Amino acid sequence: MRRAVCPGSFDPVTNGHLDIIGRTAPLFDEVVVAVLINKSKKGLFSVEERMDMLAEQAATYPNVRVDSFHGLLVDYCRTHEIRAIVKGIRAVSDFDYELQMAQMNHQLSGVDTLFMPTSPEFSFIASSLVKEVATYGGDVAHLLPEPVHRRLLERIAERA
Ligand code: PNS
């Protein structure tokens, strides 16, 4: 079985993430969207909330499932027999660090990383920027799926 992972923080999932997930799905038998459990960095949403939002959005792809992981991504790949990591590249500025990680991951485990250029209309979207703009009242509705946008505004209001 050809299995790939789309890893990330997904705090929360954006239309940019969904562009990559949706274009990866037809290329593999199974795609796992894996949310990083990062104990040292508290997100706006819990890992469970992020997974819920991802699962709801990925429901249209029968071969995509959502999971979480901690520790090294390559260890997760080894345990789950995943041979490819798929990463979206938004701009050249993403490339340096992504290349370094891809080479490290390959050297550690033999798992390859495939870079997928983000569709141009999504190339400026980052969860961190979306959260910042929304916190100060900017309109980010077009950057997120509607249910995710609603939950983002609710969470910001709770925290205010
Ligand atoms: O959405 P993000 O925060 O850019 O995703 C980064 C992520 C989760 C893909 C990356 O930090 C990662 O793979 N973390 C797992 C820990 C790991 O394997 N570190 C070594 C990388 S060479």
Side-chain angles (χ1 to χ4, degrees):
M1 179 178 281
R2 287 171 202 267
R3 195 177 283 131
V5 63
C6 293
S9 300
F10 302 105
D11 185 37
V13 59
T14 67
N15 290 342
H17 294 129
L18 293 173
D19 169 49
I20 299 299
I21 294 166
R23 288 161 57 208
T24 302
L27 304 178
F28 292 88
D29 298 317
E30 185 175 73
V31 175
V32 183
V33 180
V35 181
L36 175 68
I37 301 168
N38 187 347
K39 295 220 166 76
S40 62
K41 193 173 157 197
K42 199 165 156 36
L44 186 61
F45 292 98
S46 70
V47 169
E48 290 71 26
E49 288 172 325
R50 296 178 212 179
M51 290 173 70
D52 278 355
M53 289 186 267
L54 277 163
E56 189 181 350
Q57 295 307 317
T60 45
Y61 306 105
N63 64 331
V64 175
R65 62 185 180 83
V66 179
D67 198 4
S68 60
F69 75 105
H70 55 81
L72 289 178
L73 178 59
V74 290
D75 288 339
Y76 180 85
C77 291
R78 200 177 287 123
T79 309
H80 294 83
E81 297 179 356
I82 292 171
R83 302 256 305 277
I85 299 165
V86 177
K87 290 286 195 75
I89 298 286
R90 292 169 294 197
V92 175
S93 51
D94 280 344
F95 188 71
D96 279 350
Y97 187 48
E98 290 295 344
L99 178 64
Q100 203 178 4
M101 284 199 288
Q103 290 172 330
M104 176 66 86
N105 283 333
H106 186 262
Q107 195 266 328
L108 284 171
S109 66
V111 174
D112 267 311
T113 298
L114 308 179
F115 293 139
M116 181 174 284
T118 303
S119 298
E121 63 267 39
F122 304 122
S123 64
F124 63 95
I125 305 177
S127 297
S128 53
L129 265 185
V130 168
K131 288 184 283 191
E132 185 178 331
V133 171
T135 300
Y136 294 110
D139 182 9
V140 294
H142 54 300
L143 308 178
L144 305 161
E146 193 278 324
V148 177
H149 180 240
R150 190 165 15 88
R151 288 175 78 159
L152 175 64
L153 295 188
E154 283 167 9
R155 181 55 47 87
I156 289 169
E158 284 164 22
R159 297 270 168 107

